[in-house]
Structures are given as structure tokens and as C-alpha cells.
Amino acid sequence: MVSRDAGTTRLEQLSKNIRIHILEQIYQAGSGHPGGSLSCADILAALYGYGLREGSEKSLPIDRDHVILSKGHAAPALYAALAAVDIIPREELRTLRQLGSRLQGHPDRSRLPQVEMSTGSLGQGLSVGVGLAWRIKTKGRRGRVYVVVGDGELNSGQVWEAIMLAGVLGLSNLVAIVDANEIQNDGPVASILDIRPYGPKFVAFGWAVRELDGHNLAELCDSLDWSRSQEGDAPRMLVAHTIKGRGVSFMEGKAEWHSHALSQEQYELAMEEVSGR
Amino acid sequence: MNATAVSLRDCYGSALPELGARFPGIVVLDADLSSSTRTKGFKQRFPDRYLNVGIAEQNLVGVAAGIALAGEIPLVNTFAAFLTRRACDQIAISVAYPHLNVKFFGFHAGINLGEDGATQQSVEDLAIMRGIPGIRVFSPIDATDLNRTLEEVLTWEGPTYVRLSRFPTRAVSDGEVEVGHDPLAWKVLERGDDLCVFTTGTVTEEVLRATAELRTMGTNCQVVAVTRIKPLAESIRELVTLGNSPIAVVEEHSVFGGLADALAELLDRTRLDHRLHRIGIPDRFGESGPPRQLLEHFKLSGQPLVSELLRASQR
């Protein structure tokens, strides 16, 4: 277990490294999804640097913690986090989206076993988390399952099928984290299928819900602690309010940076900003 | 042919509890159709390894993927129509792409569900499942064949699809059967030089009835049943190239994308001129009607099937 004060500085460095790696990868690849990758950088830093506790790579699947990135287009953020905590080699990041690379445009578990689940067709990851968490809980084991979903992804009916089932099954070892960056492919979430506020809807389906600033690492760690210590069988939902493109001023809050390549000039400017902070 | 008719779903349901004891990893899933999928016996014996997710097939498939990630063997049970049509993307991306050990069972495949009509029938499940990379596809012809299929499905690590039908069928794979080295690859059920008939699934019984009738009329058919539709055994090519008789394919499925197309893909590579006479559902949906009348309507049973096969033999 990491002490909180020492931990926060370490996590700040980790999230900075994740942002740097995200920009490097997408610049090098010439395509990708910077906006939604940067919005979940702090969430992944908190998970990989603080939240994941149980078991190791060698443990049985039911005896360790899991991360499923349901919003698979944020793959560069996941690869960046895995590299930043030395689960995959940093040099490999430069192969993103190249022919033959293990780092596919969206995560591919067959090529890169270090990612827990292949995702990219939105709406599917939470169901997988439900199946995994149900077996772990039924067998009385300690592994926990963290699923990162996008707010745009909540448009998908399958997500709500999974939300209903998790509530009914009482999967207290399942933690869904909504990266609520308020922008999806076609524009603001509010202008497309606005179902906010999310909290009451999750509560209605039997989830314990906490809203937080998804860029505040201390708050993220607190919320992960809460998800672990909370009494009762309700699955846990963290609604992390984030900013699309967070960390790069010209990307922040801009729908056009959902999927966009970086010019050399933009890359240099962006790197200066994320490294400097 | 053995006289007792049994529905493959009953055979599956009664096999489940014993399989559950032999394979402790088996977890059985339903989507509100457990009375049709015959999973009650398993549920009673292994309540901790059973889950009914409700009428939510996309979630059903995703949950199964999660169970496979936990190291267990999920068996996914629902109508072939709802599984393959509604949850196609989940099957492809949450199961086949990561090559997870999920076992799909598609019930009431084909048109023999009868009266319920096109929405519950499935004439394209083989085409859909065959088109998804990495899934092994099986279409057993009777109870014995289903048991063999279950053995292979449960001992092979990876995604599989087993097509089941509701119509009670007689045992056709025992008796005077020449079994190849791998009985799921192909089985010669009858010998004859006038026509080579390939078939799959429980419609095999209808084919054998028709070819018996043809024999009395002096037309002798070779009947070959194929259970493992994908990957299709290369050795089938030798079966075909040995004789020069015309070839018919009978399947309770669309003439697109099923066994006939699988065979055509294989035979294309022989550089021989094999034209297949395709007997199946034309490019249209099924419809309501008593199962046997419906099969006859689509020329998959009775006199219409006899006439089709005779036409094929006269090519």
C-alpha cells in the first residue's frame, strides 16, 4: 500500500508520463483519439498507480484485480499507462497502429495479453466486467473489476443491460468509472442523447454512486478507497467529471480532437504544455 | 434408422448435468428461454454455476466473455435467431476476436420451429457464424452426433457454435454407417453412384427418407452428412473427386452462406467442374406453418425433396 502524501506526487508524475506517451504515440502514428485518451489519463494513473492491489500477473484471474477499458478508442492512454508502470516496454509505444504491431488502434488481447480485454466496439466492456465480477464473487475470491466507460458510450443499450444485471446480482466487487468528458464523436453529449444527470439513474438500478473530479488525483484515490470500503452489495459507480483533451489547451473541450492527428507544430506545443505542468 | 425420435435440445439438456460434473468449469447461461433450452437439470444440480440474464442477448454474450476471462467455460443458450442476429457484433468482438473459450448453442435453428414464424426461425445463422473468424461451427445430425460434438466442443479451447433444432429426429448416424476417421468431418450414411448428396443437421433424416424412396425408383444416392461446417475437412474433396456423380446439397438454411457455400469454397480449389444443386431456403425469410408442411414447402422433405434430388441426379 502506498502512503497517500508520497503517493500523490508519484501519481502526478505517472499521469504526466501517461500524457506524454499519449501524445508521442498519436503523433508518431499519424492518427488516433487524443481527446478521450487525455481525459482518462488521470483515471488510469490512479488505477495503475494506486487502485490495483490484489494479486499479480501470476495469480489466477479470480485472485487479482482487473481493468477493462471499455472505451477502447482511448487505447493510447492504456498503452501509455502500461508502459509507464513497466508492464510493456516503452520503446514499443512507437509501433502504435503500425502493421504487425501489438498495439492495435483499439486494444487487442490476442496480440497483447497485457490488456485484459479486446474492446473498441463501444458498449461491450461493462458486460464483460459483470461476467468476470460475478464469477469472482460467487467463488468468494478477492479480485475486483474496474471498467472504464465513456459518457458517450452510455448511449449504448448494452451498457444498461449490464447495469441492470450488476445491480440485481449485487456485484460489490465491480467498479464502473465513467469518464464523463461531455463530448462524443459528433459533438457535445448534451446535444446528442442527453441523459444527464447520470447518478440517479445508476442509483435506481441498485448501484452506489459517487461523483468526483476525474482530474484530481487525491479525489480519485479517495473514491477508489470508497469503492473498496463501502458496505453492502451494490456495485460501485464513479462518475468522473473530466475534460476532453485535458492538459493540452488547444484540445480541451473540443470535439474535433476526438479523433485527430497532430502536426509537428501542434505536437511540440502540446508536449511543452504536458511536460511543463 | 432407429425408431425413437428425440429432439436435440432434450438430448443436450439431459447431457448437461453429467457434463457439469465432468467439467467443473462449465457455467450455463440463459436469456429467458430456459424452458426451451432445457437447462433446468443443470440449474438444479449446480445453482452457483447458472445464470439467467433476462431478455438481453448482447449482455448475455458479454457476460459469457467475462466468465471465460475468469478461466471458466460458459455455455450460452438461446434461440439461434436472437443469438446470431442480435448479438453478432458481441460474438465477433467480445468473444471471437480475443479468442475466448465461449460455447454458443443456437436453439430452434432453421425453420422447423414452424408456427412461430420468421422472427423466431433462423435461416442465416450458419452464414453469420461461419463468417466470423476463429469460430468452429457444428451442425449435429442426431443425438449420437450431438454427444460427439459436445465432447469436441468442450475439449477444444476456443469459441464454438453448435446449431440445434427443435424437431424430434431419429437416430441416423448408427446402423449401416461408414464412419470416416473423424466422424464430425463427414459420414457416409448411404452408398450410391447416381447422385452424391451432402447434408447437415437434423434434416438429414428427411434426406434419408427421400433417398430410400429414390432407391425404389432405381436412383442410388450416396449420402454424406457433415457436422463440422467450419473448419470443413479437406478430405471431403477426395470423397467428391472419387466419383463423377452430380452433387446436391440439402440444408435447412439459406442457400447462401451455409454448407453449400462451404463446400463450394472447398471444391473451387479442386479446379474440377463441380456444380452444386442447392436445396435450401431461397433468398427469403421463413414463415408460419406446421413444421413438416413447412419443410415440404421449402422442398426439404417428402415428395418435393424426392423430386428435387431426382432433378439433381438427371443433370
Side-chain angles (χ1 to χ4, degrees), chain B residues 218-265:
Chain B
T219 300
N220 297 320
C221 301
Q222 167 164 277
V223 178
V224 184
V226 178
T227 301
R228 192 191 304 101
I229 309 279
K230 187 182 177 183
L232 199 64
E234 292 279 331
S235 54
I236 286 176
R237 201 184 313 186
E238 291 153 33
L239 272 180
V240 172
T241 50
L242 279 177
N244 287 318
S245 50
I247 302 172
V249 185
V250 183
E251 57 189 322
E252 194 185 332
H253 183 272
S254 168
V255 292
F256 300 145
L259 176 62
D261 271 355
L263 284 167
E265 289 152 17

Side-chain angles (χ1 to χ4, degrees), chain A residues 61-62 104 106-110 116-118 121 124 127-128 130-132 134-135 138-139 158 161-162 165 169, chain B residues 27 29 48-51 53 56-59 62-63 65-67 69-70 72 89-90 93-94 97-100:
Chain A
I62 52 175
Q104 293 287 295
H106 293 75
D108 175 5
R109 186 177 176 273
S110 293
E116 304 253 2
M117 185 58 192
S118 306
S121 178
Q124 300 193 17
S127 299
V128 179
V130 169
L132 184 51
W134 174 57
R135 292 318 295 161
T138 302
K139 295 190 149 192
Q158 188 188 349
E161 294 181 355
L165 183 62
L169 291 175
Chain B
V27 175
L29 300 177
D48 285 351
R49 289 158 58 188
Y50 175 84
L51 181 64
V53 305
E57 290 77 12
Q58 301 178 21
N59 193 40
V63 167
I67 293 167
L69 283 185
E72 297 184 298
D89 186 39
Q90 285 74 14
I93 300 304
S94 284
Y97 186 43
H99 198 70
L100 294 178

Side-chain angles (χ1 to χ4, degrees), chain B residues 28-49:
Chain B
V28 170
L29 300 177
D30 270 309
D32 196 40
L33 287 170
S34 66
S35 55
S36 296
T37 62
R38 302 294 201 249
T39 52
K40 194 174 167 189
F42 184 93
K43 180 188 176 183
Q44 282 171 346
R45 183 140 169 214
F46 305 105
D48 285 351
R49 289 158 58 188

Side-chain angles (χ1 to χ4, degrees), chain A residues 128-149:
Chain A
V128 179
V130 169
L132 184 51
W134 174 57
R135 292 318 295 161
I136 292 172
K137 187 159 190 193
T138 302
K139 295 190 149 192
R141 307 304 269 258
R142 294 174 52 126
R144 300 176 68 75
V145 183
Y146 299 89
V147 184
V148 180
V149 301

